[in-house]
């Protein structure tokens, strides 16, 4: 291969990598590859200065974003990939950046990166597989462990989601069409912002929907409550979101009126009208009342 055939980072173009390693995207794995290195560079830059930072990436595939993160100066990238077909391509990147890329053959839903992080800040940057994006996010927010220590092991996350999921992540009570349990959980523990959209044409194969890059920064001291209690009140409230809280909260407590009165919320309110702080107050009142 001549130098002219190499990309700016000295590695082969991604389309050549995919062809050589037989890496046609698999729908079952939620794979949609990004070939535009300008776009992957923009995503990497959205994570801020990466010098001295360990980055955890999920679903690197042929490694377009991986290359961008390393070129942007990440001290180390831990790339979690469950598709064995991608491992040889990622090994080529690891050889090009000695000692800076660690590829983990694992299911990200069951993978705990903390033993590998070492010292210094850690961030998550990923073009997430669509079929596991939401459970991965809720796991990183601590929902899988009910009462995980906070702040978490990561100091920020830059993640790609379907646009409709991104809108749910950043929604608050001012956005009744998208506000729900995910918005409450994210708003409670993080500051979340949509940075920019990515058109379907940027991917191979192109998905049927627009994607969005979301930036999440953990709140250092979120309002105190137990995740299990917050999950319980939001599941009840949004499970019957068209009903008033005096009715929908019966799924969480035998006496919704008492719970609502304790936190100063009207019985006639509906779930999409209640801010994150209101749900946290309800969760705390639920535990204090012993309705669990």
């Amino acid at each position: 291969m001549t130098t002219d055939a190499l990309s700016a980072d000295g590695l082969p173009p991604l389309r050549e990598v995919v062809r050589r390693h037989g890496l046609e995207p698999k729908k079952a794995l939620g794979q949609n590859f990004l070939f535009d290195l300008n776009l992957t560079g923009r995503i990497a830059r959205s994570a801020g200065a990466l010098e001295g930072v360990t980055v955890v990436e999920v679903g690197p595939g042929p490694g377009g974003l991986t290359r961008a993160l390393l070129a942007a100066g990440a001290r180390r990238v831990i790339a979690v990939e469950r598709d064995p077909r991608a491992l040889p391509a990622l090994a080529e990147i690891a050889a090009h950046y000695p000692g800076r890329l660690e590829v983990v053959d694992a299911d990200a839903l069951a993978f705990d990166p903390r033993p590998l992080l070492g010292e210094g800040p850690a961030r998550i940057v990923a073009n997430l597989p669509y079929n596991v994006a939401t459970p991965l996010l809720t796991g990183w927010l601590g929902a899988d462990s009910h009462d995980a220590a906070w702040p978490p092991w990561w100091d920020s996350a830059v993640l790609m989601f379907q646009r409709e999921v991104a809108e749910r992540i950043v929604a608050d009570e001012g956005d009744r069409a998208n506000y729900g349990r995910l918005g409450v959980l994210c708003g409670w523990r993080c500051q979340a912002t949509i940075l920019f959209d990515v058109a379907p044409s940027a991917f191979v194969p192109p998905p049927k929907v627009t994607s969005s890059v979301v930036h999440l920064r953990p709140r250092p001291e979120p309002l105190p409550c137990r995740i299990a209690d917050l999950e319980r009140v939001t599941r009840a409230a949004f499970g019957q979101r068209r009903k008033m809280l005096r009715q929908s909260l019966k799924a969480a407590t035998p006496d919704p009126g008492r719970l609502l009165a304790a936190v100063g919320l009207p019985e006639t309110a509906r779930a999409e009208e209640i801010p994150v702080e209101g749900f946290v107050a309800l969760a705390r009142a639920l535990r204090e009342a012993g309705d669990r």
Side-chain angles (χ1 to χ4, degrees):
M1 180 177 296
T2 66
T3 302
D4 292 341
L6 299 177
S7 299
D9 61 1
L11 286 163
L14 284 170
R15 292 184 184 276
E16 162 64 19
V17 173
V18 168
R19 184 196 62 77
R20 185 157 41 87
H21 292 284
L23 274 173
E24 292 76 15
K26 285 188 175 181
K27 184 176 181 180
L29 295 176
Q31 291 176 329
N32 299 89
F33 296 154
L34 288 171
F35 285 167
D36 185 344
L37 293 181
N38 291 322
L39 178 56
T40 57
R42 184 182 181 189
I43 296 170
R45 291 191 298 274
S46 298
L50 295 178
E51 291 78 7
V53 174
T54 295
V55 176
V56 175
E57 182 191 5
V58 173
L65 181 55
T66 314
R67 289 162 57 168
L69 292 166
L70 291 164
R75 175 173 64 99
R76 195 159 60 103
V77 174
I78 300 170
V80 187
E81 178 57 69
R82 63 176 295 192
D83 184 355
R85 301 176 306 150
L87 300 182
L90 295 171
E92 293 176 1
I93 302 173
H96 190 72
Y97 291 98
R100 294 175 59 198
L101 174 60
E102 181 167 355
V103 181
V104 180
D105 180 4
D107 182 345
L109 287 170
F111 173 68
D112 181 359
R114 287 174 293 182
L116 301 179
L117 295 180
E119 297 182 357
R123 285 175 203 156
I124 311 170
V125 185
N127 168 26
L128 295 176
Y130 284 158
N131 57 352
V132 293
T134 300
L136 280 172
L137 174 59
T138 57
W140 291 327
L141 291 173
D144 289 348
S145 54
H146 296 292
D147 293 290
W150 201 263
W153 54 265
W154 47 279
D155 67 9
S156 76
V158 174
L159 305 170
M160 181 96 73
F161 297 94
Q162 295 183 35
R163 175 72 193 192
E164 64 179 29
V165 177
E167 289 174 339
R168 287 166 46 210
I169 289 169
V170 304
D172 58 21
E173 73 278 11
D175 181 3
R176 296 184 181 181
N178 294 300
Y179 188 46
R181 293 170 59 197
L182 186 58
V184 172
L185 178 62
C186 293
W188 171 50
R189 285 205 145 167
C190 289
Q191 293 176 307
T193 308
I194 294 177
L195 298 180
F196 55 88
D197 292 339
V198 180
S201 58
F203 297 90
V204 176
K208 296 180 180 179
V209 296
T210 296
S211 301
S212 298
V213 175
V214 177
H215 180 264
L216 298 108
R217 185 173 297 279
R219 297 185 187 276
E221 296 182 1
L223 294 169
C225 83
R226 291 174 64 90
I227 295 177
D229 299 326
L230 188 62
E231 281 277 296
R232 187 170 174 182
V233 295
T234 53
R235 185 181 300 112
F238 287 105
Q240 301 182 75
R241 62 189 303 147
R242 293 186 179 182
K243 293 186 177 181
M244 298 178 184
L245 291 177
R246 66 187 179 197
Q247 182 64 34
S248 62
L249 287 179
K250 287 183 179 179
T253 175
D255 192 351
R258 180 186 59 167
L259 204 65
L260 291 162
V263 299
L265 291 174
E267 294 187 11
T268 55
R270 290 176 170 80
E272 65 267 21
E273 300 171 348
I274 306 302
V276 170
E277 296 82 2
F279 281 110
V280 171
L282 283 169
R284 291 165 62 181
L286 183 74
R287 177 152 294 271
E288 291 168 3
D291 296 338
R292 55 186 186 274

